[in-house]
């Protein structure tokens, strides 16, 4: 690492830490107390999320994987330009390990599509890991990763001529609150031209017991994932949360379609956070709301699209209607 990039990394690191401090100070002063699931994904959180995706109860990843496998030809046709050799960019927001995307990438390569894959992530490590595995597995693929937030990446790409297909898989859209989701979709739609496409994964509403189980698995991996947020605050902000005194709790509300996850103390306690020089009081069982995972209906998805000035071009679901991958166009 050059001295210059080392110092720009530490500026970035400092900014991130300031954001986290601000977020925690505000979130724990509110009633009810809240922290954002955005902060789940440190190294340990990302590792635990990989474990969640393989759990028997966590159906979304498995379902979307088989959905993409089954509909790869139709999806490929919906995303690529009608003129076979016309070049295009395939952007992916929050690509993760790319396991699901590789189905589409392989299909597009095998059918001679002329495209460049642009994985976008705020984490350089995530993007570099994915680009490395793609160089090994699909050496003929053109990859141009972007390390930036989604809005910046979309604006950067809007200036480059050529058609774009943008992927936002895994029901990541379900983690936004309704107002933020709407704003995000509008931000996604704004730079798109008439021939561009968006492919978004939505988890659908279904038997509430089945949904709930996916967020409260028997092995306790999801509990560890939620509780890891407190470990992160202990490490990064010098907090003194006693992990043994906290529990993961989750419920599903079929009216709003939201799974809500909480961290709850089993006894009243005070927690000091050194980086904030502040002590927070918790009553016994007073929840910290840490995550929303919204589940959708088809009419809701159509309404969301319309609000962002988009139309549903294709709606792919699995045979049980558990999950939908939806192609949207301006
Ligand atoms: C990343 N996101 C779509 C997951 C979800 O289902 O909301 C995160 C997760 N939280 C608990 N389990 C999985």
């Amino acid at each position: 690492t050059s001295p210059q990039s080392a110092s720009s990394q530490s500026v970035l690191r400092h900014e991130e830490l300031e954001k986290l401090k601000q977020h925690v100070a505000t979130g724990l002063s509110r009633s009810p107390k809240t922290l954002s699931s955005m902060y789940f994904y440190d190294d340990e959180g990302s590792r635990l999320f990989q474990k969640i995706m393989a759990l028997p109860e966590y159906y979304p990843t498995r379902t979307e994987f088989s959905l993409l496998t089954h509909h790869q030809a139709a999806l490929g046709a919906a995303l690529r330009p009608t003129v076979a050799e016309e070049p295009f960019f395939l952007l992916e927001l929050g690509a993760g390990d790319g396991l699901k995307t590789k189905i589409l990438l392989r299909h597009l390569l095998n059918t001679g599509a002329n495209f460049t894959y642009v994985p976008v992530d705020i984490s350089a490590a995530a993007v570099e890991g994915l680009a490395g595995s793609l160089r090994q597995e699909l050496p003929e693929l053109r990859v141009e990763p972007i390390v930036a937030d989604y809005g910046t990446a979309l604006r950067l790409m809007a200036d480059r001529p050529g058609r774009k297909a943008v992927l936002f898989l895994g029901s990541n859209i379900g983690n936004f609150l309704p107002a933020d989701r709407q704003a995000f979709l509008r931000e996604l739609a704004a730079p798109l031209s008439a021939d561009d496409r968006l492919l978004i994964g939505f988890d659908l509403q279904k038997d509430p017991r089945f949904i709930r189980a996916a967020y409260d698995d028997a092995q306790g991996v999801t509990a560890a994932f939620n509780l890891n947020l407190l470990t992160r605050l202990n490490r990064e902000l010098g907090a003194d949360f006693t992990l043994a005194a906290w529990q993961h709790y989750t419920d599903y509300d079929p009216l709003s379609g939201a799974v809500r996850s909480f961290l709850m103390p089993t006894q009243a306690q005070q927690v000091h956070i050194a980086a904030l020089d502040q002590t927070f009081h918790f009553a016994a069982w007073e929840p910290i709301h840490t995550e929303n995972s919204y589940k959708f209906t088809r009419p809701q998805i159509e309404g969301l699209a319309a609000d962002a000035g988009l139309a549903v071009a294709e709606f792919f679901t699995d045979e049980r209607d558990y999950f939908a991958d939806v192609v949207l166009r301006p």
Side-chain angles (χ1 to χ4, degrees):
T1 323
S2 72
Q4 195 191 344
S5 71
S7 75
S8 64
Q9 269 172 23
S10 74
V11 170
L12 199 72
R13 181 79 200 104
H14 176 75
E15 280 172 13
E16 280 171 15
L17 196 66
E18 286 306 309
K19 269 195 211 155
L20 176 63
K21 278 164 62 177
Q22 184 59 48
H23 178 78
V24 172
T26 316
L28 296 187
S29 304
R30 269 200 201 115
S31 179
K33 293 180 167 69
T34 59
L35 291 173
S36 167
S37 58
M38 201 170 88
Y39 291 108
F40 281 170
Y41 302 90
D42 63 356
D43 288 349
E44 178 63 1
S46 303
R47 194 190 64 79
L48 287 166
F49 184 55
Q50 292 289 327
K51 270 185 96 173
I52 288 176
M53 289 193 287
L55 287 171
E57 295 94 335
Y58 193 74
Y59 63 86
T61 308
R62 207 169 301 114
T63 311
E64 190 177 37
F65 187 89
S66 71
L67 180 55
L68 293 174
T69 307
H70 192 247
H71 294 290
Q72 55 186 288
L75 275 161
L79 295 177
R80 65 196 287 174
T82 28
V83 178
E85 55 288 350
E86 188 185 330
F88 69 104
F89 293 102
L90 186 71
L91 265 84
E92 182 165 25
L93 308 181
D97 63 3
L99 203 66
K100 285 173 293 189
T101 318
K102 283 176 191 162
I103 304 166
L104 276 179
L105 295 176
R106 270 200 198 91
H107 172 80
L108 288 168
L109 286 174
N110 291 341
T111 51
N114 180 7
F115 72 106
T116 303
Y117 176 55
V118 184
V120 178
D121 206 292
I122 191 76
S123 149
V127 167
E128 279 157 19
L130 175 60
S133 90
L134 288 170
R135 271 194 295 276
Q136 298 252 310
E137 286 176 52
L138 302 170
E140 69 278 40
L141 180 70
R142 289 195 298 271
V143 186
E144 287 185 22
I146 299 184
V147 178
D149 62 70
Y150 300 158
T152 307
L154 287 167
R155 283 190 294 277
L156 275 176
M157 289 305 292
D159 292 339
R160 295 187 63 178
R163 292 180 51 148
K164 280 117 205 162
V166 182
L167 312 181
F168 192 48
L169 303 177
S171 203
N172 287 324
I173 192 131
N175 295 130
F176 288 100
L177 282 167
D180 298 338
R181 176 204 302 149
Q182 207 63 67
F184 176 71
L185 262 188
R186 288 195 196 132
E187 189 186 2
L188 270 188
L192 298 185
S193 309
D195 289 336
D196 296 341
R197 297 289 179 266
L198 260 175
L199 174 64
I200 304 188
F202 292 90
D203 196 13
L204 299 177
Q205 293 187 8
K206 59 186 74 63
D207 182 341
R209 284 162 288 247
F210 197 76
I211 293 177
R212 222 193 136 274
Y215 292 84
D216 200 9
D217 64 280
Q219 294 171 52
V221 183
T222 311
F225 178 62
N226 196 3
L227 287 159
N228 178 57
L229 184 55
L230 301 184
T231 309
R232 179 173 186 178
L233 299 189
N234 283 352
R235 186 183 61 245
E236 296 191 19
L237 301 186
D240 62 359
F241 286 99
T242 308
L243 270 286
W246 288 81
Q247 290 189 358
H248 162 72
Y249 176 76
T250 192
D251 71 1
Y252 172 66
D253 170 20
L255 290 177
S256 62
V259 173
R260 291 179 306 170
S261 297
F262 305 92
L263 288 165
M264 299 178 104
T266 53
Q267 312 149 14
Q269 56 195 276
Q270 307 210 8
V271 174
H272 181 69
I273 303 189
L276 300 175
D277 196 17
Q278 238 182 306
T279 299
F280 296 89
H281 303 270
F282 294 88
W285 303 107
E286 178 187 357
I288 309 177
H289 181 189
T290 53
E291 188 179 43
N292 297 293
S293 295
Y294 280 85
K295 311 301 168 192
F296 301 88
T297 63
R298 183 167 179 158
Q300 273 174 357
I301 294 168
E302 285 163 350
L304 270 171
D307 178 88
L310 298 166
V312 172
E314 305 265 7
F315 197 96
F316 298 99
T317 54
D318 52 292
E319 61 284 357
R320 296 184 294 186
D321 276 341
Y322 276 4
F323 200 95
D325 273 312
V326 184
V327 181
L328 302 169
R329 59 176 167 72

